[in-house]
Amino acid sequence: MNGSGSSFAKPGFEPGPPLWLLAELTYRCPLQCPYCSNPLDFARSHDELSTAEWIEVFRQAREMGAAQLGFSGGEPLVRQDLAELIKAARDLGYYTNLITSGIGLTEEKIASFADAGLDHIQISFQAADEEVNNLLAGSKKAFAQKLAMARAVKAHGYPMVLNFVTHRHNIDNIDRIIQLCLELEADFVELATCQFYGWAELNRAGLLPSKEQLVRAERITNEWRDKLAAENHPCKLIFVTPDYYEERPKGCMNGWGNLFLDITPDGTALPCHSARQLPITFPNVREQSIEQIWKHSMGFNKFRGFDWMPEPCQSCDEKEKDFGGCRCQAFMLTGDAANADPVCSKSAHHDKILAARIEAEQAPRGLDELTFRNEKASKLILKV
Ligand code: FES
């Protein structure tokens, strides 16, 4: 790694530190979720950073002020050096978080991660129903393994943090999902309705719940919240609505190049996990230092500040709150990443969101119509 590269820094604009570092250690994964946020062309990427290269990334980012480090993927447990990476990150002073499906986890691994100093583990489930879970995951053993590992994580003294991605095929089961979380003694549960990036975008028509499904799920979640609060129960339920049912966009990543730094398995540095699809050349940690990337690269400076914004964002009094929404969503739906996120009702492209809602009202599609995320499907998309 070196510090070469042209400077595209914005005069008078000094970015704060990349507080939140996400290390996408690998795109390898034993599961095949049709809503995976990994890029469709992940099969192109085989050249993963080595242990030493990752540790150098952690060191440089920490020097820049990074404080939180998430280990993600693909499935990060596939990396045999995970405990070593966790230890190096903790020695550098990071707060560390493992984001995993639980597949490949064992009691021994949990113990070794705890010894290495891992602070936090989040396990994701596909459904509360074994059959649906295993069908979505593409593994007959996935559900039983997740249950066992969720219990083992809790037994090791970690807070139980569960993530359920909900969509039209499992959201009607929200009551059972919450019950399962309580049976597992979860402390935090993220009930995150699918957001449409990567494979989820490809499968959007088959995944987006209808308005009626969403309203019902939110009502049931709120009833559970009230019940748990009345009992002083420690479990916290977080319900995430999909952008497609909002009228104003989210302030994606808290602003482009503001605090989030994503490093992909091959060392490409991105301001968000989806940015690789944009027609922008992003820098690689094998060629440039983190400081050069963060402060001076064209990719990270492209949508910083407000002067890049066209109308209606430029004169909008909410631009400092939502930054015009999500650049990746604007690109996917309008072909231009600088446009206002079409989620916004002020966007000239908001009709795309309205059309998707109408599509979601139509007869549900079967699970078998989804394109599952795997190497073969990725190669087909790549036509290789
Ligand atoms: Fe890329 Fe929102 S996911 S800017």
Side-chain angles (χ1 to χ4, degrees):
M1 296 185 217
N2 60 48
S4 66
S6 315
S7 179
F8 291 87
K10 298 208 164 182
F13 187 94
E14 181 63 28
L19 285 175
W20 172 229
L21 175 64
L22 185 69
E24 292 188 295
L25 297 179
T26 179
Y27 286 141
R28 289 175 287 156
C29 183
L31 301 187
Q32 56 156 26
C33 303
Y35 48 76
C36 179
S37 63
N38 282 170
L40 296 176
D41 66 352
F42 75 87
R44 215 193 288 270
S45 171
H46 287 294
D47 188 16
E48 292 177 7
L49 295 184
S50 66
T51 310
E53 285 173 317
W54 274 117
I55 293 172
E56 180 58 13
V57 167
F58 302 164
R59 191 192 64 71
Q60 289 186 30
R62 182 82 183 120
E63 221 170 76
M64 296 276 303
Q68 291 220 32
L69 172 47
F71 296 101
S72 157
E75 174 48 69
L77 292 167
V78 172
R79 288 280 301 219
Q80 297 308 308
D81 55 357
L82 186 52
E84 194 180 340
L85 294 175
I86 292 167
K87 174 145 186 8
R90 285 296 285 124
D91 289 349
L92 287 163
Y94 280 101
Y95 181 86
T96 51
N97 182 18
L98 173 62
I99 302 156
T100 175
S101 68
I103 307 303
L105 198 56
T106 60
E107 293 267 3
E108 293 71 33
K109 281 192 181 175
I110 298 171
S112 75
F113 298 158
D115 283 349
L118 182 66
D119 294 291
H120 193 277
I121 304 180
Q122 177 190 298
I123 297 188
S124 63
F125 277 74
Q126 280 75 16
D129 170 279
E130 179 157 17
E131 199 184 324
V132 179
N133 187 94
N134 292 349
L135 222 117
L136 284 164
S139 157
K140 290 196 175 105
K141 296 183 187 156
F143 191 67
Q145 163 75 5
K146 282 166 186 282
L147 290 181
M149 286 305 110
R151 291 191 179 107
V153 164
K154 181 95 183 175
H156 273 82
Y158 283 105
M160 166 78 73
V161 184
L162 300 181
N163 170 275
F164 277 80
V165 176
T166 60
H167 43 76
R168 68 189 307 157
H169 301 286
N170 65 3
I171 199 165
D172 293 337
N173 228 1
I174 196 102
D175 198 47
R176 177 62 200 129
I177 289 175
I178 295 171
Q179 283 176 37
L180 175 65
C181 294
L182 296 174
E183 282 161 31
L184 290 169
E185 298 176 67
D187 298 286
F188 297 94
V189 179
E190 194 177 45
L191 302 161
T193 321
C194 199
Q195 296 285 20
F196 296 98
Y197 299 97
W199 294 78
E201 170 65 4
L202 183 72
N203 286 307
R204 192 186 67 207
L207 290 172
L208 185 64
S210 68
K211 178 84 178 169
E212 193 186 341
Q213 285 183 299
L214 193 68
V215 167
R216 177 181 173 274
E218 195 158 16
R219 175 179 54 74
I220 291 172
T221 306
N222 286 335
E223 286 168 7
W224 270 106
R225 275 204 194 113
D226 293 345
K227 185 168 154 26
L228 295 172
E231 291 169 4
N232 265 334
H233 196 287
C235 181
K236 299 268 173 296
L237 302 176
I238 296 149
F239 188 89
V240 183
T241 311
D243 292 1
Y244 277 70
Y245 288 103
E246 301 286 1
E247 296 302 315
R248 285 287 177 272
K250 60 181 183 270
C252 200
M253 300 294 134
N254 216 21
W256 182 270
N258 185 24
L259 51 82
F260 189 80
L261 171 61
D262 180 16
I263 309 294
T264 68
D266 68 1
T268 305
L270 302 173
C272 72
H273 60 284
S274 282
R276 220 173 66 166
Q277 67 184 309
L278 304 181
I280 296 172
T281 304
F282 286 100
N284 192 292
V285 298
R286 284 179 167 139
E287 287 149 17
Q288 295 182 34
S289 69
I290 299 289
E291 182 171 8
Q292 177 73 20
I293 288 169
W294 185 254
K295 290 187 175 169
H296 303 287
S297 69
M298 189 272 283
F300 276 77
N301 280 300
K302 181 113 180 126
F303 299 115
R304 277 180 172 148
F306 300 99
D307 53 1
W308 58 269
M309 285 180 174
E311 293 294 348
C313 298
Q314 188 53 248
S315 56
C316 180
D317 59 6
E318 294 175 70
K319 70 181 177 193
E320 292 184 26
K321 186 172 77 184
D322 62 31
F323 316 102
C326 174
R327 296 307 90 228
C328 297
Q329 201 145 258
F331 176 73
M332 288 186 287
L333 295 175
T334 76
D336 183 350
N339 278 335
D341 184 338
V343 165
C344 184
S345 61
K346 295 182 188 179
S347 158
H349 301 275
H350 190 57
D351 58 320
K352 301 237 167 49
I353 298 291
L354 302 179
R357 288 182 201 167
I358 292 169
E359 193 176 36
E361 299 299 332
Q362 293 165 357
R365 297 171 188 222
L367 278 175
D368 54 352
E369 287 181 54
L370 300 173
T371 303
F372 288 83
R373 177 250 199 236
N374 55 46
E375 185 113 356
K376 193 170 149 214
S378 180
K379 283 184 174 161
L380 269 174
I381 288 163
L382 288 172
K383 298 191 176 54
V384 292

